[in-house]
Every structure is written in C-alpha cells, then in structure tokens.
Amino acid sequence: MKKVFTKVHKNVGKGVLAVIALGLVISCSSDGDDGPTVNEEPEIQSPTISGISPSSGVVGTEVTISGTNFSSTGSQNEVEFNGITAAVKSASATQLVVDVPADATTGQVSVTVNGRTAVGASFTVLTADVSLCNQNEILENTTWEDVEPGDAVDYVIQCEINVRGNALLTIEPGVIIAFEGENSGIFTGEGGGLKAVGTAENTIQFLGTSENKGVWKGVYFGSNHPENRLEHVIVRHAGRSASTQSDEKGAVQLSRDEDSSGAIVNCTITDNDGFGVFITDESDLEEFSNNVISNNEEAPVGLYFNQLSALDAASDYQGNAKNYIEVRENDLEDDPVNMAFLNVPYRFVDSGRYNIQNELTIDPGNTLEFTNGSGLRLGVQGSDCADTSGSLNATGTSENSITFRGVTPGKGTWLGIGFNSASPNNNLIYCTISGGGSADFYNASDFAANVTLQCNSRLTIQNTTLTDSGGYGLYMLDDDAQLEDFEANSIVNNELAPIWMHLPQVNELDAATTYADGNGMAYIQVVGDAVTDADLTIKKLDVPYRIETERSGRETYVETAITIEPGTILEFETGAGLVLGSPGVDCLPTSGSLNAEGTPSEPIIFRGASEGQGTWLGIGINSSTSANLFTYCEISGGGAEQMYNAGGQGNIVIHCSGSLTLENSTISDSGGWGVDFVQGGNSLSQSSNTFSNNALGNVASN
C-alpha cells in the first residue's frame, strides 16, 4: 500500500499596529510682528485591506491584496504573511500582487505603507511534499486515509495522479484533498479505478488550494473499472484546463477511453470552471442520483443524446452560468432512452438532426430547447421511407405539459420534429411545439414545419399547440402518413397554413382543434389526391379547406363516398375540382358519391380561391346513386374549362348516367353553365334553387 499525505500548518500570527502622531511646526517671523506661522504637511492616509484572494495556497501561490492607500511604487509597500516578508510583483493604490514567500506559515497578512500598517484576514499556507509528482502513477491498490482531524486538509496534490494497471485507489470518508496546477487531478486509465465513497456525515472533499474556479483540472474516469465511484463527495474549484478526450473543461468527466464508466451519487459539484459533469459519447454513466451541481461556468452536465437516461429528477441542476443540460448529437440507436423531468431544460446544441432509431420517452413537465439547424428525426439519416422501430412518446398532462422550442425566440429558429415511423407509441399529448420549421426536414420535403410526417408514419396528437413555425404547423408529406388520434389541438401563428395534407387524410382532423388564429394562410392546404380507397367525411372546421390539383396538375377524381358536414367551406385553386369517376374513362359506372347536406344556418360552400367567374373547374357527377345530394349549398366560380373528355363546362356537370338532387342551393358565377349535361342518360332533380351570373346560362338542356 502506498500512502501519500502532507500536513497543513495552522499557526496564526499576531497583528502589528503602528500609530504615528502628526505634529505642527511653528515658527515666528524675524521681526515678531506677524505672530506664529503654522506650516501644515499633507495628511498621511493609512492603508486598508478589504480582501485577499485566494485565502489559501502553497508557497509561491500568487495572491492579490485589495484595499486602499497602497503605494503605486512596489518597494514602498511592505507585505508580510504572518511576519514573513513577501516581494511585491505589481502595485497600484488599490491592489498589490505578491507570491506567498518561502517559509511562510498560516496567519494574518499585513501591509505597511509610510510606517502605517493594515492587518487583513488570515491566509492558510498549505504545504506539500512535491516529490509526490515524481510518484504520480498508482499501479497497485492504494488507500488514502483521513490523517488530519476535522476540516484540515489531508493531502495537497500539485500534479497528475494516474491510476493504472487495474489498480484501485480508495479514498476513505473524511479525506480532504487540495489540488493546485494546470494538470493536477486524479485520472483513471488502463483498467485503473477510483473509489471515493464518503458518508452524509463525513464527506470526501476535492478542493482547490484557493477558492477560485479553475485552480485544478478535475477528476476523470478513463476506464471501465467496476468500482469507479464518487459518493458523498464535494468537488470544487476544478476546470483549469480542457480534457484531451472531450476538449472540454469540467470538474468530473467520463472520457471515451476504454468506453469508460462510473457512478456519481449524492455528490456536490460546485464552483468549477467549465461543466460540472461531462460525459463523452462512448462512456457510460452507470448511476447518477441525488447530486447538486451548481455555480459552474458552463452547463451542469454535458452529455450525448443516447445518454440522457442517466440523469435523474432528484438531482439539482440549477444555478449554473448555463442553466440547461447540454445535449450533443449522436444517434439514439442501441437502447431506449427516457428523459426524466429535470429542474432545467435540455438544450440540443449541435446543428443537425438527432436521429431516433429506438424508443424515446419524455416525462411530463420537460422543456427541450433546440439550436438553429437542430431537430428530432425518427428514421435513418439520408434514408427516406426505410422501416424503423424508433418512437417518440411525449405524453404530458394538463398540469405538466412538455415544451419543444427554439433557443432563439421567433418563427423558424429550429428544424422541428420529423416522424418516419409507424410505431403505435408515437405521441404528442399535452405538448407545446414552437419555433420549428427553419428548413425542409426530409429529402423529399418541399416545405418546412413544426411537425412533419413522412411515408407511412403514425402519430397521435392531442391537446397540443403547434405555433410559430417558419412554415406549416403540421406537414403530412406523404399520403400514407396517418394521424391516428387528432383531438383538441391549437395550430396557430405559423408562417404558412396550419396544416398541409392530402385530401384522403382530411377526415383525420377534428372540429375541436383551433386552426384560425394568426396563421399566414387561414385555411387547410389540401393536395387534391384521388379518393379511391376509403370513404371520406369532410368536417366543418373554423377555417376553409383550400384544395389544389394533384401533383400531376389533374383535378381530383373520386371513386368512393364523400360526405361533407354542414358549415364546411371548400375553396379550389385554378384547375382544381371534384369529379366522380376515373380519369380518361367516360360513361363507366362508378360507385362514388358526393353528399353535401347543409342547413339554412350552416350552408356548405364550394368556391374558388379567387373571386370571379370560372376560377376553378367545378363538380362532376358520374354516378347514379341517390346519395348524390346537394342541399343548402353555395356553389360559385366553377366552370373554368371543359370537365370530361366529351365536354361539359359549369359549376356542376352531370355526365352519362349521373344523377343529382339539388335543393335550396345557390349556383352562381360559373364560367360556363350553372348546371351542364354531357352524353345524355343523366338526370337532375332540383327545387328551390337560385341561379345568378352564370356565363352560358343557368341549366343547360339535357
């Protein structure tokens, strides 16, 4: 067993007080007529000492003495450490810089100027066996014992202590170690281990030789020794220089050498330069609980995306210069990750996509912040529509919602969240997602959004706010994507429309969601894909549906049943329209139907995105079902051009054996007929309708 320790002197010197009387020199004039003359010399001001920094250190430590009435000429100031004179390195009227002199002992510091002396606080002189630095490799099991009683320092270390060769350094409860120097600290590597386990009543302390941040380097675990552990340990004043493994300053670090591992439990890590704790990407923080990490110059903890499960809600992370957990980018791939609710946000600091290929669960109450260019992506980088088992479950509560936001306030300050997964565990419930949509998310994306669904993704969104996107609130990139349960959300204040989606997906929306407030486009943007696979119900929302053509530029063909609820507004871009039938096939019976039953107080409105005659294609009827019913509807602005191969131009065109019941409706502003017929055999049953301003007439002959 190798034991290394030094004792600390605790003698306290006595203060010296000098008092000088100021006299008056009195002289008389030669003729005695003027009486006595008084010559007053300038009053000599006594020095004062207001502070000494640091208040402890080894011989040679640079000490700054603050106060007043010092001489700016260094040699005119006499500085003593408990009676031992120190040379003044630099001087001003308010500050003196000196080195702790050889042979100095613990005691009060004094400054004498012009014969007047000020006495300051006590300075503790730490003594060390400097030969320790010649024996800084520990290659066999070693124990450091508590050799000084009470709060006295047991060991002073001015160099690197390297524990290697499968050796274990054990530090017993109550040990206090003072470190000093750019590279001083304790480092494990090559299988070496560090076990520093104190108790609640008898902590272990790793301190600097002075109470300044960055006096020493830190404690680094660079091994996977099974007993690497800090428990009931106080770590202060570290972070002098950056780790060669992490390139970061930090008090306690796990480096990537040997896939290092360790435990940090019931520790206080405070007053350090750099991070409190930093974990490199190949390391494993095996246990982390009930720690206090405060007053450090960087974030309390820096670690990588796939390590977030290591942090616990019982630890206190507040009060650091950067009041957040710093999350670096890598892939969440090998193990599920749970993000515990912490008392500071998680900040994603790397500008890139944080890829999720396993399960990510976010506890209620959490806040996630994203730097510009960063975002959460389910799927494999650079691979679109590849199967992935990744999932994102962000389920908050009404009292403890989950927040996703940009580091910088405003619209489009981060990428957003991209889903490329059909997992049933994809949930955004009681969340607020703001400021995403800085750029397109996937290779196939045309638009940016707070939330993007690609390929056959599945997602539940409930009681969630999507706001301040630089593009859309929600972007349904592919027509195979699905909103499984979309309820009571708020999609507001986005740069473009609240939602971009495909026509077969609109029945996934709900009327209880708010779409109307503050969006740049006050409508649901709908790509007019053919409706061929399932019946479709179009619900009344607080904004219109704005329907554009299919991506090919073709109007929307309908081969199933569409039902439109009262009060719904459908707007159509140029060239868009609804046509029962199949493209390029005339007079082929179809089972498609269009049922639009409004009410007197809530009519259903079909209109062009632009006002005027003939601004959109219109509605084509090519089925004979009695379900084709328009009642209390307002249809205006259709008839932009011929609808079927055989002709027909109007707000409504009935084709071949098509049939329609039209009641209590208004038909106006057609670029052709109000109602036109093509190829005979068709039928119209109408009553109580109003026709106006149709270019070719109200109802064509059949």
Side-chain angles (χ1 to χ4, degrees):
M1 178 180 70
K2 183 182 297 180
K3 187 188 301 179
V4 183
F5 67 92
T6 60
K7 296 186 177 180
V8 178
H9 295 276
K10 294 185 284 294
N11 298 328
V12 179
K14 298 181 178 179
V16 178
L17 177 62
V19 180
I20 301 175
L22 175 63
L24 299 176
V25 179
I26 304 175
S27 63
C28 298
S29 63
S30 59
D31 58 11
D33 294 337
D34 297 331
T37 300
V38 178
N39 294 328
E40 294 186 2
E41 295 183 357
E43 183 179 357
I44 300 174
Q45 300 292 324
S46 298
T48 66
I49 298 175
S50 60
I52 300 170
S53 180
S55 60
S56 64
V58 298
V59 169
T61 298
E62 185 177 271
V63 177
T64 299
I65 304 169
S66 301
T68 62
N69 301 321
F70 302 149
S71 173
S72 58
T73 301
S75 60
Q76 294 180 5
N77 304 280
E78 182 180 346
V79 179
E80 292 185 349
F81 285 72
N82 199 24
I84 304 298
T85 300
V88 177
K89 298 169 66 177
S90 65
S92 71
T94 58
Q95 192 174 86
L96 302 175
V97 178
V98 300
D99 288 338
V100 177
D103 300 324
T105 57
T106 297
Q108 289 175 303
V109 175
S110 65
V111 175
T112 301
V113 183
N114 294 324
R116 297 191 174 195
T117 301
V119 179
S122 180
F123 183 90
T124 301
V125 179
L126 305 174
T127 61
D129 180 0
V130 296
S131 66
L132 172 65
C133 292
N134 297 324
Q135 306 171 18
N136 61 344
E137 283 199 343
I138 295 178
L139 301 174
E140 60 184 35
N141 290 345
T142 299
T143 299
W144 290 356
E145 299 174 347
D146 185 6
V147 296
E148 292 287 344
D151 293 332
V153 173
D154 296 288
Y155 306 96
V156 176
I157 296 176
Q158 296 174 289
C159 58
E160 296 184 20
I161 300 296
N162 292 293
V163 187
R164 304 182 184 281
N166 298 314
L168 177 65
L169 172 60
T170 301
I171 301 176
E172 294 191 337
V175 169
I176 301 175
I177 303 174
F179 294 85
E180 183 186 47
E182 181 175 352
N183 294 311
S184 62
I186 300 177
F187 311 92
T188 72
E190 299 176 8
L194 170 62
K195 179 182 178 182
V197 178
T199 66
E201 299 77 21
N202 207 12
T203 59
I204 296 168
Q205 299 185 53
F206 296 155
L207 312 173
T209 55
S210 65
E211 294 184 359
N212 293 327
K213 295 177 180 179
V215 174
W216 59 293
K217 190 165 186 177
V219 177
Y220 293 176
F221 292 101
S223 68
N224 55 10
H225 194 288
E227 295 195 69
N228 280 339
R229 189 175 189 86
L230 301 181
E231 185 169 353
H232 288 294
V233 176
I234 298 172
V235 184
R236 299 180 65 193
H237 314 135
R240 178 68 176 271
S241 58
S243 162
T244 57
Q245 293 294 329
S246 68
D247 294 324
E248 299 290 350
K249 292 181 179 181
V252 179
Q253 296 198 36
L254 272 66
S255 76
R256 64 172 59 90
D257 281 357
E258 302 184 41
D259 299 334
S260 61
S261 61
I264 305 172
V265 178
N266 293 308
C267 290
T268 298
I269 302 171
T270 185
D271 300 323
N272 300 288
D273 193 7
F275 292 90
V277 177
F278 192 87
I279 315 298
T280 57
D281 57 345
E282 299 295 333
S283 300
D284 184 10
L285 188 56
E286 292 184 331
E287 186 178 356
F288 185 92
S289 62
N290 297 299
N291 301 296
V292 176
I293 308 177
S294 64
N295 201 34
N296 300 290
E297 285 302 301
E298 293 286 341
V301 180
L303 75 176
Y304 284 77
F305 187 32
N306 64 351
Q307 298 165 333
L308 290 176
S309 286
L311 304 183
D312 73 309
S315 289
D316 185 358
Y317 307 89
Q318 291 185 323
N320 298 277
K322 296 181 178 178
N323 227 21
Y324 50 80
I325 303 300
E326 185 166 305
V327 184
R328 304 289 179 89
E329 186 268 328
N330 66 358
D331 289 351
L332 193 164
E333 186 175 10
D334 295 331
D335 298 298
V337 166
N338 185 86
M339 297 176 64
F341 171 53
L342 309 185
N343 59 5
V344 295
Y346 296 86
R347 179 168 291 187
F348 294 73
V349 299
D350 288 333
S351 182
R353 293 161 175 79
Y354 287 69
N355 291 312
I356 303 170
Q357 300 171 46
N358 209 303
E359 298 175 9
L360 175 63
T361 302
I362 303 173
D363 284 353
N366 265 313
T367 296
L368 286 71
E369 300 176 340
F370 296 84
T371 194
N372 186 34
S374 68
L376 297 179
R377 168 185 172 134
L378 278 84
V380 180
Q381 183 72 30
S383 178
D384 289 344
C385 292
D387 290 338
T388 175
S389 58
S391 63
L392 172 57
N393 186 352
T395 300
T397 67
S398 57
E399 297 81 16
N400 291 291
S401 62
I402 298 171
T403 299
F404 302 81
R405 67 188 182 199
V407 171
T408 304
K411 294 182 179 179
T413 63
W414 61 291
L415 280 174
I417 305 174
F419 288 85
N420 185 18
S421 155
S423 171
N425 297 321
N426 288 334
N427 295 307
L428 296 175
I429 300 174
Y430 284 109
C431 294
T432 297
I433 304 171
S434 64
S438 62
D440 302 351
F441 209 100
Y442 290 101
N443 296 336
S445 297
D446 293 319
F447 305 105
N450 269 332
V451 176
T452 299
L453 272 68
Q454 186 187 27
C455 303
N456 64 342
S457 297
R458 300 290 183 269
L459 174 63
T460 293
I461 308 180
Q462 296 176 352
N463 301 106
T464 286
T465 298
L466 304 179
T467 184
D468 291 316
S469 168
Y472 292 94
L474 173 64
Y475 178 29
M476 304 286 284
L477 171 57
D478 290 296
D479 57 5
D480 289 335
Q482 182 176 333
L483 296 174
E484 293 195 321
D485 202 346
F486 187 89
E487 296 178 356
N489 302 296
S490 179
I491 309 180
V492 298
N493 202 39
N494 300 289
E495 189 69 20
L496 300 178
I499 298 178
W500 190 101
M501 64 195 320
H502 301 263
L503 183 58
Q505 297 165 330
V506 298
N507 64 335
E508 298 165 9
L509 303 182
D510 77 312
T513 289
T514 298
Y515 309 90
D517 295 341
N519 296 293
M521 300 174 177
Y523 48 79
I524 305 299
Q525 186 73 54
V526 181
V527 179
D529 291 345
V531 182
T532 59
D533 296 329
D535 294 344
L536 182 66
T537 297
I538 304 179
K539 304 179 184 72
K540 175 193 172 184
L541 307 181
D542 60 0
V543 293
Y545 298 85
R546 175 72 62 88
I547 301 174
E548 59 187 63
T549 63
E550 285 190 330
R551 292 190 175 183
S552 65
R554 185 188 297 274
E555 63 272 23
T556 300
Y557 281 85
V558 179
E559 299 179 29
T560 62
I562 292 182
T563 301
I564 304 174
E565 293 184 347
T568 299
I569 301 175
L570 286 79
E571 299 177 342
F572 294 84
E573 298 279 6
T574 301
L578 294 178
V579 179
L580 295 176
S582 301
V585 178
D586 288 343
C587 293
L588 181 69
T590 175
S591 59
S593 64
L594 186 56
N595 184 280
E597 295 187 62
T599 69
S601 60
E602 289 191 306
I604 296 170
I605 298 174
F606 300 83
R607 67 189 182 199
S610 302
E611 294 182 359
Q613 285 184 327
T615 62
W616 60 290
L617 187 62
I619 302 170
I621 305 296
N622 185 25
S623 71
S624 58
T625 174
S626 60
N628 290 333
L629 172 63
F630 289 176
T631 182
Y632 291 107
C633 293
E634 298 176 7
I635 306 172
S636 63
E641 59 185 37
Q642 177 178 307
M643 183 173 294
Y644 290 100
N645 295 333
Q649 183 174 357
N651 274 335
I652 300 172
V653 176
I654 303 176
H655 183 238
C656 296
S657 60
S659 65
L660 173 66
T661 298
L662 179 65
E663 300 173 341
N664 299 299
S665 295
T666 299
I667 313 299
S668 64
D669 295 318
S670 170
W673 293 92
V675 179
D676 198 6
F677 301 92
V678 179
Q679 289 190 302
N682 40 51
S683 65
L684 171 66
S685 173
Q686 64 153 323
S687 64
S688 303
N689 299 300
T690 300
F691 294 86
S692 66
N693 200 35
N694 298 296
L696 298 180
N698 296 330
V699 180
S701 59
N702 188 0

